[in-house]
């Protein structure tokens, strides 16, 4: 059989054996064309050289729970379904044999396995080994069924594994990929030569990754760093970089509102300052003034560790526009924080405080109406609010600057919504979670950066400690001491709901913690705050803590960002293992704000090694880096972060160096001008990767 070569844009349904059910399954998975099919790489490669004969598996080194993953291949000799006695869980037991020995496999709570598997099936299994009652066993291993549906056999060194897509099993998918590879026409190459030197062409790269030749490097293959990976990653990162460069070029062409400066304005701004700026604050503000007076639209990221004084810089920037007849908005993620900023602005602004307006979702109707009217008339020149600012009813008279605090909590769409409310306001985003430039670009697109790398003077270092749950009494003792000295304490609980537990570990929820605290500190007033409180309740409870009427605040991470209570000098975080490192660092930033020595105490029975990072350094940049390495950008920013591009091969952390080469290449390509073919390729790639459109 011979066919004319197919362009990668051909529908995947053109492949053999594509009934309607399979076509629907592909569609469901977002796979429309051969290109889509081929760019979805195997999730794993099994190296035949790494297969272990069952007879060779030993207990050795398995005394510790985690023995590393082993891969084995065998035939199901026996399969049994039962229910465990104590917990009443469905138990599936399989006895796997390969001629050299046998291995017991156990799965809990997956009764359907009894229908999927049967004796005689060949299974490829990978997972950690455990010493069991009847010798070695694997609990809940991953597996691939190697027979049925025309198993293609395993003739090469590497077996690529694909995830099942509805009707389409991994094996069937592999057959589709093989056919697509053999029939595909090589696509045109739109990458600049400087990027593709020494790398295979696109189609070859796809072949190398779907059908790795025996001489491929196992480690590189697994890590995603073969030349073939680099080729595909370069395509994604170059498309991404071109998009960013184009947006930037577009922005630089737009007329930005020129904010006028004068000696009088500078004097005015100075009068708002309660203390001299740090060097870093002064430098950052200068950069902002440069933008605001440049005639171009500002798009700047202000990064700074917790406590570096971002708010003051924001206030100055807002004052620049407010004091010259414009309006500025400060957008923050929580109502608690909005109120706090509004209070501190009121203090700093002195006789101008009347031009400040708070806007919250939880406001009473009449109050909100009045606020909206003041914003619409331009009477409110400093507007502080939460996501309520995104609502359609909010109209500004002349919005000239938007400052966003803790930016990564807002989705890109929300930012766009706010953008539409003003002609083309200047944009300053502030992040307390320092992120590498590659990620900043991915999330914020084209931007300039200022960094506050200096803390205001007079900060006391914070002592950090980690306690096992059984030694928690030592933590409470430190709280007791702080209270005795007239200080206040935060206690952080991971959850308001025991059902958040996922059945994995015993979790002490916030109610249990409250009871515990009342037991330990019977004479103290304790306020409890969490995300499910009505805004009003939250505000009253916070106010009681801020004023010192209550000296213990028990909270979920609603207080993670920004809350400023200088008299609070001790924080205890329960179940610290449930938090990301950067999140813990943020929490830690809530203490150590006054003149007194502070301590940050974590209670955790697990992940001690990870948490150790916080004891070793107070540098938020280093902590964020570690956090990103451990969790990857998706987790790091939380699932809700809508703005991250969906690269299929590239990895913004791993491929940082490649990204910077792609960015340089993209800048050069723009200078030379893009060909029509390149523009079309770019649009297609942007759609495929769900990157922001070229505007
Ligand atoms: P963050 O960068 O975490 O948002 P804040 O803006 O909340 O930090 O500032 C932290 C604390 O430092 C606040 O109490 C603020 O008043 C104080 N602060 C800010 N700038 C200075 C400065 N230049 N000198 C002294 N204290 C400052
Ligand atoms: Mg802040």
């Amino acid at each position: 059989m011979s066919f004319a070569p197919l362009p990668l844009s051909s529908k995947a349904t053109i492949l053999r054996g594509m009934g309607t059910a399979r076509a629907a399954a592909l569609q469901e998975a977002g796979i429309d064309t051969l290109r889509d099919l081929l760019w979805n790489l195997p999730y794993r490669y099994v190296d035949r050289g790494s297969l272990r004969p069952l007879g060779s598996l030993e207990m050795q080194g398995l005394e510790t729970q985690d023995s590393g993953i082993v891969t084995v291949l065998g035939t199901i000799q026996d399969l049994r379904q039962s229910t465990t006695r104590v917990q009443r869980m469905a138990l599936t037991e399989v006895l796997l044999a390969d001629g050299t020995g046998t291995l017991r496999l156990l799965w809990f709570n997956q009764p359907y396995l009894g229908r999927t598997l049967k004796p005689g099936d060949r299974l490829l299994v990978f997972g950690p080994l455990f010493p069991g009652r009847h010798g070695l066993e694997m609990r809940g291993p991953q597996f691939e069924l190697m027979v049925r549906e025309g198993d293609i056999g395993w003739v090469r060194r590497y077996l690529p594994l694909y995830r099942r897509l509805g009707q389409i099993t991994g094996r069937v998918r592999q057959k589709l990929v093989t056919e697509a590879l053999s029939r595909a026409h090589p696509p045109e190459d739109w990458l600049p030569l400087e990027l593709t030197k020494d790398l295979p062409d696109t189609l070859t790269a796809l072949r190398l990754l779907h059908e790795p030749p025996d001489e491929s490097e196992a480690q590189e293959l697994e890590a995603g760093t073969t030349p073939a990976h680099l080729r595909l990653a370069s395509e994604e990162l170059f498309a991404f970089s071109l998009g960013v460069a184009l947006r930037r070029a577009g922005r630089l062409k737009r007329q930005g509102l020129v904010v006028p400066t004068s000696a009088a304005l500078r004097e005015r701004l100075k009068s708002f300052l309660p203390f001299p700026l740090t060097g870093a604050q002064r430098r950052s503000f200068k950069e902002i003034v440069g933008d605001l007076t440049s005639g171009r639209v500002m798009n700047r990221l202000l990064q700074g560790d917790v406590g570096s004084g971002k708010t003051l810089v924001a206030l100055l920037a807002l004052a620049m526009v407010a004091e010259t007849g414009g309006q500025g908005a400060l957008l923050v993620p929580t109502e608690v924080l909005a109120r706090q900023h509004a209070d501190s602005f009121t203090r700093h602004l002195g006789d101008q405080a009347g031009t400040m307006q708070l806007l919250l979702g939880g406001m009473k109707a009449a109050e909100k109406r009045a606020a909206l009217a003041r914003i619409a008339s331009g009477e409110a020149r400093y507007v502080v609010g939460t996501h309520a600012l995104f609502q359609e009813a909010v109209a500004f008279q002349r919005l000239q600057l938007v400052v966003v605090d803790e930016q990564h909590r807002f989705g890109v769409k929300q930012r766009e919504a706010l953008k539409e409310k003003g002609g083309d306001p200047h944009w300053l985003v502030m992040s307390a979670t320092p992120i590498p430039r590659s990620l900043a670009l991915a999330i914020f697109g084209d931007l300039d950066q200022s960094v506050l790398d200096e803390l205001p003077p007079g900060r006391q270092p914070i002592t950090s400690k980690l306690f096992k749950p059984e030694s928690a009494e030592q933590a409470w003792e430190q709280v007791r001491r702080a209270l005795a000295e007239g200080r206040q304490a935060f206690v952080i609980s991971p959850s308001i709901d025991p059902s958040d537990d996922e059945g994995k570990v015993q979790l002490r929820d916030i109610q249990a913690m409250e009871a515990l605290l009342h037991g330990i500190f019977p004479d103290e007033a304790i306020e409890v705050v969490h995300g499910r409180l009505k805004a009003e309740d939250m505000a009253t409870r916070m106010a009681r803590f801020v004023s010192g009427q209550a000296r213990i605040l028990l909270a979920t991470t609603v207080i993670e960002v920004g809350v400023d209570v200088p008299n609070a000098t001790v924080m205890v975080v329960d179940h610290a293992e449930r938090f990301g490192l950067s999140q813990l660092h943020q929490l830690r930033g809530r203490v150590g704000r006054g003149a007194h020595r502070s301590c940050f105490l974590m209670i955790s029975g697990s992940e001690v090694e990870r948490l150790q990072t916080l004891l070793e350094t107070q540098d938020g940049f280093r902590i964020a880096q570690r956090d990103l390495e451990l969790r990857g950008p998706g987790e790091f920013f939380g699932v809700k972060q809508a703005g991250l591009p969906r690269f299929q091969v590239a990895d913004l952390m791993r491929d940082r160096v490649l990204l910077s080469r792609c960015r340089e290449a993209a800048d050069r390509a723009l200078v030379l001008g893009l060909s029509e073919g390149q523009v079309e390729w770019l649009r297609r790639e942007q759609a495929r990767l769900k990157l922001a459109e070229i505007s």
Side-chain angles (χ1 to χ4, degrees):
M1 228 175 336
S2 104
F3 299 96
L6 300 170
L8 287 181
S9 56
S10 316
K11 296 278 179 202
T13 45
I14 207 166
L15 298 172
R16 269 170 292 168
M18 287 289 289
T20 45
R22 284 182 178 174
L26 283 186
Q27 204 71 48
E28 177 84 2
I31 294 176
D32 184 33
T33 62
L34 297 188
R35 175 180 290 107
D36 299 333
L37 181 72
L38 292 177
W39 275 83
N40 275 284
L41 299 180
Y43 73 91
R44 197 189 152 150
Y45 301 93
V46 177
D47 180 353
R48 207 162 30 172
S50 73
L51 279 186
R52 301 275 302 270
L54 293 178
S56 79
L57 301 176
E58 298 169 30
M59 296 285 280
Q60 214 179 22
L62 298 179
E63 293 74 23
T64 56
Q65 278 247 312
D66 197 322
S67 64
I69 309 284
V70 295
T71 309
V72 297
L73 179 66
T75 307
I76 298 185
Q77 213 166 55
D78 194 13
L79 183 146
R80 257 176 241 181
Q81 297 266 66
S82 59
T83 310
T84 61
R85 241 177 323 131
V86 185
Q87 305 219 28
R88 313 298 306 159
M89 280 192 286
L91 173 66
T92 310
E93 281 179 273
V94 157
L95 191 67
L96 197 71
D98 73 348
T100 71
T102 59
L103 179 67
R104 213 163 147 251
L105 313 175
L106 303 175
W107 287 274
F108 296 97
N109 268 335
Q110 301 185 48
Y112 60 88
L113 286 178
R115 295 186 293 278
T116 321
L117 304 176
K118 61 175 172 33
D121 281 350
R122 242 152 64 90
L123 278 191
L124 179 69
V125 187
F126 31 97
L129 288 171
F130 293 91
R133 249 182 306 150
H134 314 285
L136 288 178
E137 59 190 36
M138 276 191 193
R139 298 173 196 161
Q142 292 192 55
F143 68 90
E144 287 274 324
L145 200 50
M146 298 290 290
V147 284
R148 302 194 207 153
E149 308 212 48
D151 181 8
I152 56 160
W154 186 359
V155 287
R156 297 166 171 274
R157 173 175 165 197
Y158 293 103
L159 178 71
L161 301 181
Y162 299 86
R163 296 208 186 286
R164 183 192 185 100
L165 303 173
Q167 288 268 327
I168 302 181
T169 63
R171 298 290 120 228
V172 171
R173 217 172 130 186
Q174 188 180 7
K175 283 205 324 186
L176 293 175
V177 164
T178 305
E179 188 193 341
L181 283 173
S182 68
R183 293 176 65 186
H185 189 279
E188 246 184 291
D189 193 350
W190 299 112
L191 256 49
L193 268 177
E194 55 180 308
L195 288 179
T196 57
K197 235 183 353 199
D198 304 329
L199 297 180
D201 64 66
T202 312
L203 192 56
T204 307
L206 288 166
R207 280 207 182 98
L208 288 168
L209 294 177
H210 285 290
E211 298 166 352
D214 292 357
E215 61 275 15
S216 310
E217 276 285 338
Q219 249 178 6
E220 287 186 354
L221 209 50
E222 210 55 62
T225 54
T226 64
H229 281 108
L230 292 185
R231 165 73 207 203
L232 299 185
S234 297
E235 295 200 11
E236 294 185 337
L237 294 174
F238 182 63
F240 167 65
S241 303
L242 261 185
V244 171
L246 280 168
R247 263 206 306 283
R248 179 180 187 78
R251 174 167 66 87
L252 293 184
K253 262 191 258 150
R254 289 196 324 258
Q255 276 288 330
L257 184 114
V258 180
V259 180
T261 52
S262 65
L265 177 66
R266 279 192 289 274
E267 278 311 302
R268 214 87 204 91
L269 295 186
K270 260 197 206 137
S271 76
F272 294 148
L273 288 178
F275 17 59
L277 294 177
T278 64
Q281 282 172 321
R282 197 168 315 125
R283 193 185 57 232
S284 298
F285 183 55
K286 224 184 209 159
E287 288 162 355
I288 292 168
V289 172
D291 289 345
L292 292 178
T293 53
S294 70
R296 292 192 294 265
V297 181
M298 171 167 80
N299 188 25
R300 184 169 289 277
L301 174 67
L302 177 62
Q303 296 214 56
D305 209 342
V306 240
S308 57
K310 291 182 290 293
T311 318
L312 204 55
V313 177
L315 174 70
L316 287 175
L318 288 165
M320 278 277 291
V321 302
E323 297 297 316
T324 53
Q327 286 177 298
L330 174 65
L331 187 58
V332 298
T334 66
E335 299 208 347
V336 171
L337 204 51
R339 283 178 203 281
Q340 182 184 294
H341 280 318
D343 288 347
S344 90
F345 277 20
T346 305
R347 262 181 281 124
H348 292 151
L349 291 177
D351 60 355
Q352 287 302 301
T355 59
M356 205 273 308
Q357 179 61 54
L358 190 60
L359 184 73
L360 304 173
M363 275 180 162
K364 295 213 181 63
E367 202 184 354
K368 191 183 256 175
R369 220 174 307 123
L372 289 175
R374 272 167 50 83
I375 295 169
S377 73
E379 196 185 333
R381 287 190 268 138
Y382 300 81
V383 181
V384 178
T386 55
H387 53 272
L389 283 173
F390 298 124
Q391 286 161 8
E392 268 167 45
V394 184
F396 288 85
Q397 202 221 1
R398 37 176 192 279
L399 179 63
Q400 295 180 347
L401 168 66
V402 181
V403 181
V404 190
D405 200 9
E406 311 302 343
Q407 163 66 21
H408 66 265
R409 305 188 152 230
F410 292 98
V412 168
K413 282 222 180 72
Q414 290 174 306
R415 269 193 282 153
E416 292 296 319
L418 197 56
K419 213 175 242 175
E420 280 162 20
K421 294 192 181 294
D424 199 356
H426 296 289
W427 206 260
L428 177 67
V429 301
M430 307 199 289
S431 173
T433 310
I435 48 177
R437 184 155 178 85
S438 60
L439 284 178
L441 278 172
I443 295 160
F444 309 126
D446 129 64
L447 45 64
D448 300 308
Q449 269 199 57
S450 298
V451 181
L452 292 181
D453 50 7
E454 180 185 349
L455 293 180
R459 286 289 156 80
Q460 294 285 339
I462 303 168
T463 313
S464 301
K465 288 198 184 123
L466 178 59
F467 298 101
K468 295 251 179 223
E470 51 277 19
S471 336
E473 177 48 34
Q474 293 175 41
W476 303 125
E477 180 51 38
Q478 299 216 31
V479 174
R480 214 171 276 130
R481 232 176 296 151
L483 294 175
E485 286 163 16
R487 306 281 88 81
Q488 290 167 276
F490 294 108
V491 179
I492 309 299
S493 188
S495 147
I496 28 178
D497 204 336
S499 66
D500 285 7
D501 180 4
E502 298 156 15
K504 276 194 212 128
V505 276
Q506 279 265 311
L507 189 69
R508 176 160 53 197
D509 62 52
I510 199 165
Q511 286 88 6
M513 180 54 95
E514 187 180 0
L516 179 74
L517 289 176
H518 279 299
I520 305 178
F521 307 102
D523 303 326
E524 288 294 335
I526 298 171
E527 289 295 340
V528 186
V529 298
H530 53 73
R532 285 192 209 155
L533 285 180
K534 280 215 209 76
E536 270 167 73
D537 293 342
M538 176 87 108
T540 0
R541 293 180 185 194
M542 281 304 298
R544 282 174 50 79
F545 182 67
V546 173
S547 70
Q549 278 168 281
R551 294 202 302 163
I552 298 180
L553 183 73
L554 170 58
T556 55
T557 52
V558 288
I559 67 140
E560 167 195 345
V561 281
V563 171
D564 195 18
V565 183
N567 191 46
T569 58
V570 53
M571 173 178 282
V572 180
V573 181
D574 194 26
H575 288 293
E577 75 280 357
R578 305 281 295 211
F579 301 94
L581 294 179
S582 292
Q583 207 178 7
L584 288 165
H585 181 64
Q586 272 288 318
L587 286 167
R588 173 163 64 184
R590 301 309 113 218
V591 293
R593 304 198 141 228
H596 309 283
R597 281 197 79 88
S598 292
C599 52
F600 176 69
L601 311 170
M602 296 178 281
I603 301 178
S604 178
S606 57
E607 301 194 31
V608 172
E609 202 176 322
R610 182 173 69 95
L611 298 173
Q612 201 77 25
T613 309
L614 285 153
L615 309 189
E616 285 158 11
T617 178
Q618 302 241 14
D619 180 342
F621 284 81
R622 276 183 53 194
I623 290 169
Q625 188 69 34
R626 183 100 187 86
D627 205 11
L628 272 162
E629 283 160 12
L630 288 172
R631 295 196 295 160
E635 275 286 302
F636 180 81
F637 290 109
V639 274
K640 291 208 189 86
Q641 175 56 46
L644 280 176
R646 320 237 176 109
F647 295 123
Q648 281 177 305
V649 182
D651 177 316
L652 287 171
M653 285 304 286
R654 182 192 62 207
D655 300 324
R656 272 170 297 191
V657 178
L658 194 57
L659 174 61
S660 78
R661 287 182 49 208
C662 286
R663 295 191 52 216
E664 286 162 21
D667 287 341
R668 273 192 286 276
L670 274 200
V671 172
L672 297 174
L674 301 183
S675 69
E676 257 175 57
Q678 249 173 336
V679 170
E680 203 193 305
W681 167 81
L682 177 59
R683 280 193 195 287
R684 208 175 50 221
E685 286 297 281
Q686 288 185 319
R688 184 173 74 81
L689 302 172
K690 311 237 175 349
L691 300 173
E693 276 289 316
I694 322 169
S695 47

